């Protein structure tokens, strides 16, 4: 089990496969699972349900999908949601490029990186969790 911080929310993740922890490496924080806002885990049945009819995906990959699905469901209670977009950070601000799959979001991000170099950081290239922040 390890903990991540996503959109300001602490999540404990109980995983079976190292693949999930590698995917989350940039978001891992050094806190006890007891300090987290919530935890997620996936049963063998939930992992298997993420596979396609041909069983083409590894159990490790399917676990990551099942855990992310659960995390996203819980995040709604924290005014956070999954958004299909590529997000970059530049000059202290975040920029999200949202469009249908295959439209060129990743290509657009690559062009920003080419033009602006190290001043651009990819925050999430496909499915970030965004959070509403209330002002005032």
């Amino acid at each position: 089990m390890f903990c991540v911080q996503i959109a300001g929310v602490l999540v404990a993740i109980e995983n079976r496969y190292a693949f999930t922890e590698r995917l989350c490496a940039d978001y891992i924080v050094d806190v006890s699972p007891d300090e987290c806002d919530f935890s997620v885990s996936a049963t063998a049945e939930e992992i298997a349900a993420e596979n396609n009819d041909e069983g083409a995906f590894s159990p490790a990959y399917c676990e990551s999908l099942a855990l992310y699905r659960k995390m996203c469901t819980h995040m709604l209670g924290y005014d956070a949601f999954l958004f299909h977009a590529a997000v970059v950070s530049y000059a202290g601000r975040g920029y999200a490029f949202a469009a249908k799959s295959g439209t060129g979001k990743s290509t657009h991000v690559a062009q920003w990186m080419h033009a602006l170099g190290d001043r651009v950081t990819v925050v999430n290239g496909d499915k970030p969790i965004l959070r509403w922040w209330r002002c005032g």
Side-chain angles (χ1 to χ4, degrees):
M1 181 176 277
F2 61 96
C3 299
V4 296
Q5 184 171 27
I6 309 262
V9 180
L10 292 171
V11 183
I13 299 176
E14 187 175 340
N15 59 314
R16 298 169 190 231
Y17 302 99
F19 179 77
T20 299
E21 192 165 352
R22 285 194 306 273
L23 281 178
C24 297
D26 291 340
Y27 305 96
I28 293 176
V29 292
D30 187 23
V31 300
S32 163
D34 295 336
E35 298 175 66
C36 291
D37 296 300
F38 64 87
S39 64
V40 293
S41 62
T43 66
E45 293 78 17
E46 290 168 331
I47 293 169
E50 293 292 340
N51 218 327
N52 65 7
D53 291 338
E54 292 82 37
F57 303 114
S58 73
Y61 175 70
C62 291
E63 177 190 52
S64 73
L65 296 177
L67 291 170
Y68 200 54
R69 182 180 309 281
K70 285 188 166 189
M71 187 186 314
C72 290
T73 299
H74 282 286
M75 286 296 221
L76 294 171
Y78 296 86
D79 296 327
F81 58 95
L82 176 77
F83 191 61
H84 184 214
V87 178
V88 297
S89 173
Y90 172 70
R93 293 183 181 250
Y95 296 89
F97 307 108
K100 294 189 306 186
S101 292
T103 303
K105 295 180 298 297
S106 297
T107 301
H108 198 77
V109 166
Q111 290 173 344
W112 271 54
M113 293 176 75
H114 178 74
L116 301 170
D118 292 343
R119 295 177 291 168
V120 173
T121 302
V122 177
V123 176
N124 188 298
D126 191 35
K127 294 178 182 76
I129 294 175
L130 303 181
R131 188 169 186 193
W132 293 108
W133 294 101
R134 293 188 172 95
C135 299

